[in-house]
Amino acid sequence: MRFRSYSCTVLGSLLLTCSLYGQTDNAALIEHLGEFYAEDRDENFDFTELAERLEFYRQHPIDLNRTDGSELRELLFVPELFIGNLLAHRHASGRLVSVYELQAIEGMDLELLRMLIPFVEVNTPGSLSEVRARELLSEGAHDLMVRYGRMLQRQRGYAIRDTARSRYLGSPDRMFVRYRYHFNRDLRVAVNMKKDAGERFFSGAQRQGFDFYSGSVYMRNQGHVRDLVIGDYALQFGQGLAMWSGLGFGKGATLQQVAKQGTGLRPYTSSNEVLFLRGAAATIALKPNLSVTPFVSWRKLDGSMEHAADSTQLVGSLGQTGLHRTPSEAANRNALQQWVYGLNIQYARRRFTLGATAFRTEFDASIKPRPRLYTRYAFRGRSLWNASLYYSGTVRNVYFFGEAAHRIGRGFAFLNGAMLNLHHRLSLVLLHRDFHREYHSFYNQAFAAGSAAVNERGFYSGLAYQLGRRVQWVGYVDVFRFPWLRYRVNAPSGGMDMLTQFTYEWYKRAKASIRYRYRRKAENAALDLPENRVVDVNRQQLRIDGQYTLDDRWRMRSRVEFSHYRKEGTPTEIGWLWYHDVIYKPMSSRFSGNVRVAMFGTPSYQSRIYAFENNVLYAYSFPVYHNRGIRAYVNVRCRLQRKIDLWLRYATFIYRGVDEVGTGLNASTGNQRSELTVQLRIQFD
């Protein structure tokens, strides 16, 4: 067995010497994992948490000889079936002697290996329990980052002086301050401070300076305490039906994203102002295979407050943006208080996991959605209990997973699935879900076609086939139905999501892919039709993407994409996008950066196209391309000193045939919309 390990080491060294210089970087991984989230949810999600997580494990690789799999799950792209095989291999063969021994583990392919190599090692760092307090102060690493940005054109909301009108109360400046301290991987301190454009700074509702403050202290592997967080934290259990806060993805072009990989308790480090808990939580090992996680949270939430006839306070809706720019947004800031407390218990033994979660959510005011037919079964009241039971396990080449959740008193939700390695080149994923219309959880992020796992039934099936060393095909079909009404859908409805993608690689220097995606959902018909009825909305996308590595400094990337939108009663729309990227990233140089030039044209917002964009460190986005025009941006990184880095980014949209960009308070005169971002990072010991 050990001979096989050394053989794999030699083979891996020879095989990867010429291929791993093109390892997948953080930006490519974020695009890989997050693009479907942006397209399907029609929002620009904050990827700070994922970017920071990937960067942390690049600097502090996961020790393959110590991990229990939880750190590998945090990477999001590592299949659960492979994690189980790795732990079984280590149990049977002992410690790994090299990261290249991973090639001997079933479920590993070159693409996964190339993605994983930068984040793993086989060293064994010392434990935090062996370190004195003076060493924590003298030997720990500090990281301070300050980011400033603003739009260069003046928007309408800043020009209004009439205090009776809606307007932006603050300046157009965006500011973000981030501080991190860590000692190995066993102690971390995180602080975030954020001000969005339009928000006040040291005035009005923001008298304390920044609009959003977040912080946490995280310790791990301290005796029976596996994880401990004081401050802001995230909990991720099961498949996300009951408790899943923080970062969460679902459907994607990689099949392993279908099965969520719960990481349990982790510190919350994102700049997103909504998806987290605040208080204290700990994961305690009662036995080697049995752990409990008690948690308690108290925080203030945004909400639209109303008063009933008896002067009772009611909340029409909870805020989901974290923006406090206008008088109404500022009035909704911290409008109600939320308490969350509960317990998770989990049994994990090698390839099998069984867990249960129960928690209660309380508010200091009653939530009462506006009376609409589609909100008939929405949550109402001041408190609710949630409970769930989840499982996962591996039997031979099959990984199975699932969760059953209950809103105590009314409403169930079920999700079950399996991943099968039918052949070393062929994988199959199956997933069934049934979410009752009365089910509700405030921390619900399960796999779903809708915005939440409620009022939905569906079946997903996907295949991945490695035709050879150079060609891969991925495809899936997701068929779903909504038994009750939804927003802008005044009848029960259904839909389908289908994708097929071919990828071809040339000796790790070049890659080309072609993707077709078809989506069908229902919406209320256009108002000018003779009756208000529900009709199908069809969206189709065709993408051709190519990238080429010239050498260890220069890479090129181009994409052409077409979108097709059709809805009964409205004109059919066809949109297009073309862009070309030039990426300069030498191994040792003070300067690096990338440039994009894009051209696009869509008849309206309905035929919009999303495309991933690089930004300064930890800032990535999927902006929407619509209307007609040109998009360009340039990112430059300069290493001023060994641990001092400066980033500059300029990005602009130039639209054709318009005199005004944007709508409402966001509108600005002219046909251009430009942004400038400056970021400084200082690291010190």
Side-chain angles (χ1 to χ4, degrees):
M1 185 64 67
R2 187 55 56 191
F3 171 76
R4 186 178 67 174
S5 299
Y6 283 109
S7 298
C8 288
T9 302
V10 176
L11 174 62
S13 300
L14 294 174
L15 185 63
L16 298 176
T17 297
C18 62
S19 65
L20 288 184
Y21 72 86
Q23 293 164 350
T24 306
D25 59 16
N26 290 357
L29 282 173
I30 292 172
E31 178 178 10
H32 192 63
L33 296 168
E35 64 173 331
F36 279 73
Y37 193 99
E39 289 182 1
D40 295 344
R41 302 299 175 92
D42 192 22
E43 58 187 57
N44 200 0
F45 188 78
D46 175 55
F47 294 94
T48 304
E49 181 181 353
L50 176 57
E52 182 172 337
R53 185 185 302 177
L54 294 174
E55 182 68 16
F56 178 83
Y57 283 121
R58 276 186 184 271
Q59 297 181 13
H60 306 87
I62 299 165
D63 185 359
L64 295 172
N65 287 322
R66 299 185 67 198
T67 183
D68 61 357
S70 59
E71 296 107 326
L72 294 172
R73 294 184 183 96
E74 288 191 64
L75 298 177
L76 297 183
F77 62 83
V78 184
E80 190 68 36
L81 186 60
F82 171 76
I83 295 176
N85 290 339
L86 168 65
L87 299 180
H89 173 89
R90 197 177 66 191
H91 177 77
S93 305
R95 293 170 52 85
L96 278 71
V97 297
S98 167
V99 294
Y100 302 120
E101 191 178 339
L102 291 173
Q103 293 175 99
I105 300 174
E106 189 171 355
M108 173 61 72
D109 55 42
L110 279 180
E111 178 67 17
L112 177 59
L113 184 62
R114 187 166 63 250
M115 296 168 66
L116 186 58
I117 285 293
F119 303 103
V120 295
E121 65 179 7
V122 293
N123 295 326
T124 304
S127 170
L128 180 63
S129 60
E130 303 170 357
V131 181
R132 297 180 180 180
R134 287 184 301 177
E135 293 178 272
L136 293 177
L137 296 177
S138 61
E139 297 184 16
H142 303 263
D143 190 323
L144 177 64
M145 190 186 76
V146 180
R147 181 189 304 157
Y148 170 84
R150 67 172 293 162
M151 187 173 295
L152 301 184
Q153 289 75 28
R154 190 182 189 190
Q155 296 167 279
R156 182 179 299 155
Y158 300 104
I160 299 174
R161 294 291 177 263
D162 185 352
T163 57
R165 297 174 58 188
S166 180
R167 65 199 188 283
Y168 292 150
L169 301 174
S171 72
D173 304 311
R174 302 190 314 272
M175 289 180 283
F176 180 61
V177 178
R178 169 191 176 277
Y179 168 76
R180 299 290 184 268
Y181 167 83
H182 64 262
F183 186 89
N184 291 332
R185 289 190 296 269
D186 293 338
L187 175 63
R188 305 182 210 170
V189 177
V191 177
N192 287 344
M193 296 174 279
K194 179 185 175 186
K195 173 197 176 299
D196 290 304
E199 294 177 340
R200 286 176 167 171
F201 193 57
F202 284 107
S203 65
Q206 290 86 4
R207 294 186 181 278
Q208 292 76 34
F210 290 89
D211 175 73
F212 177 65
Y213 290 91
S214 175
S216 63
V217 177
Y218 171 58
M219 291 186 291
R220 64 192 293 269
N221 296 333
Q222 304 306 302
H224 290 286
V225 180
R226 293 181 182 173
D227 301 285
L228 170 66
V229 180
I230 300 175
D232 295 345
Y233 62 92
L235 295 172
Q236 298 181 349
F237 298 121
Q239 294 301 309
L241 282 179
M243 173 54 73
W244 192 285
S245 57
L247 185 69
F249 296 118
K251 196 180 303 179
T254 54
L255 300 185
Q256 62 261 27
Q257 288 180 247
V258 174
K260 286 187 175 292
Q261 300 174 318
T263 57
L265 170 63
R266 288 295 179 268
Y268 183 78
T269 58
S270 172
S271 59
N272 183 285
E273 302 181 30
V274 180
L275 302 172
F276 66 95
L277 298 162
R278 174 168 288 172
T283 298
I284 303 168
L286 301 180
K287 295 181 179 180
N289 301 317
L290 183 65
S291 64
V292 296
T293 303
F295 54 92
V296 60
S297 169
W298 175 84
R299 56 178 297 225
K300 295 181 178 180
L301 305 180
D302 295 350
S304 57
M305 301 297 295
E306 302 172 357
H307 294 277
D310 59 356
S311 300
T312 303
Q313 282 191 329
L314 301 175
V315 180
S317 62
L318 298 179
Q320 299 295 323
T321 65
L323 298 174
H324 310 108
R325 306 161 299 177
T326 66
S328 60
E329 289 175 348
N332 293 338
R333 184 175 187 263
N334 297 335
L336 74 162
Q337 301 179 52
Q338 180 199 63
W339 293 267
V340 180
Y341 51 91
L343 181 74
N344 169 268
I345 183 168
Q346 180 170 292
Y347 174 83
R349 181 177 175 83
R350 295 186 186 174
R351 298 191 175 196
F352 179 75
T353 299
L354 179 67
T357 306
F359 63 96
R360 181 177 176 86
T361 306
E362 296 183 358
F363 301 94
D364 65 344
S366 293
I367 296 177
K368 186 178 180 180
R370 292 181 175 84
R372 302 286 188 272
L373 193 56
Y374 71 87
T375 64
R376 179 176 178 179
Y377 298 99
F379 171 78
R380 288 171 171 79
R382 299 183 60 166
S383 64
L384 82 159
W385 276 97
N386 289 100
S388 77
L389 180 68
Y390 60 89
Y391 69 92
S392 65
T394 303
V395 177
R396 295 183 180 272
N397 294 328
V398 180
Y399 172 70
F400 53 90
F401 57 93
E403 184 173 8
H406 180 44
R407 170 187 169 186
I408 304 301
R410 57 193 301 182
F412 287 87
F414 303 96
L415 185 151
N416 295 279
M419 293 185 172
L420 301 85
N421 276 355
L422 304 178
H423 184 268
H424 70 279
R425 291 186 176 182
L426 181 64
S427 299
L428 170 68
V429 177
L430 302 172
L431 183 145
H432 176 265
R433 58 197 187 273
D434 186 354
F435 311 141
H436 295 183
R437 61 189 180 186
E438 294 181 327
Y439 178 75
H440 184 83
S441 170
F442 287 98
Y443 296 94
N444 173 339
Q445 291 193 65
F447 180 99
S451 58
V454 61
N455 180 37
E456 179 177 324
R457 296 172 183 169
F459 183 79
Y460 171 102
S461 60
L463 277 172
Y465 183 53
Q466 192 77 31
L467 282 75
R469 293 180 60 85
R470 302 181 186 178
V471 183
Q472 182 188 56
W473 173 78
V474 175
Y476 70 72
V477 176
D478 186 27
V479 181
F480 47 86
R481 181 160 183 81
F482 306 109
W484 185 244
L485 284 60
R486 304 170 65 239
Y487 175 64
R488 297 177 61 192
V489 188
N490 293 338
S493 61
M496 186 173 83
D497 185 357
M498 181 182 72
L499 176 139
T500 181
Q501 175 177 294
F502 281 91
T503 302
Y504 185 86
E505 286 195 46
W506 287 274
Y507 304 105
K508 314 306 174 185
R509 281 190 171 272
K511 177 189 291 187
S513 65
I514 181 169
R515 172 192 296 179
Y516 170 77
R517 189 181 187 193
Y518 170 81
R519 287 175 288 171
R520 174 173 55 82
K521 280 189 178 181
E523 285 184 7
N524 292 338
L527 297 178
D528 56 353
L529 288 184
E531 56 181 302
N532 187 15
R533 57 191 177 90
V534 172
V535 298
D536 285 336
V537 176
N538 296 278
R539 300 180 187 273
Q540 300 180 68
Q541 294 169 272
L542 177 63
R543 173 189 298 179
I544 302 174
D545 186 279
Q547 51 186 305
Y548 184 75
T549 301
L550 299 176
D551 53 34
D552 58 357
R553 297 175 300 166
W554 295 93
R555 284 192 293 137
M556 306 289 181
R557 180 175 180 181
S558 292
R559 174 178 296 177
V560 177
E561 185 163 346
F562 299 93
S563 66
H564 180 276
Y565 171 86
R566 182 170 61 85
K567 177 181 179 181
E568 183 179 349
T570 63
T572 298
E573 299 183 8
I574 297 178
W576 61 273
L577 164 70
W578 168 86
Y579 71 69
H580 183 73
D581 291 342
V582 178
I583 302 167
Y584 177 68
K585 193 173 183 180
M587 296 296 292
S588 57
S589 175
R590 293 182 58 190
F591 293 95
S592 61
N594 54 82
V595 178
R596 169 174 295 180
V597 177
M599 294 187 293
F600 58 94
T602 70
S604 77
Y605 184 76
Q606 300 295 348
S607 50
R608 62 194 177 274
I609 299 175
Y610 291 88
F612 174 82
E613 290 190 357
N614 288 286
N615 207 311
V616 298
L617 182 65
Y618 301 133
Y620 304 94
S621 61
F622 289 86
V624 57
Y625 289 66
H626 72 100
N627 209 321
R628 289 176 171 82
I630 297 173
R631 171 67 166 175
Y633 67 78
V634 56
N635 298 316
V636 178
R637 175 190 179 185
C638 175
R639 173 149 291 181
L640 303 179
Q641 295 183 17
R642 189 172 68 89
K643 292 190 176 184
I644 302 179
D645 296 278
L646 177 69
W647 285 264
L648 295 173
R649 184 179 197 261
Y650 173 79
T652 185
F653 275 106
I654 303 176
Y655 296 95
R656 190 176 66 185
V658 300
D659 298 321
E660 184 177 83
V661 180
T663 59
L665 300 180
N666 189 44
S668 61
T669 58
N671 70 334
Q672 190 169 358
R673 182 63 65 90
S674 306
E675 290 183 292
L676 179 67
T677 304
V678 181
Q679 179 170 290
L680 179 67
R681 183 189 190 191
I682 303 174
Q683 299 172 283
F684 51 96
D685 298 326

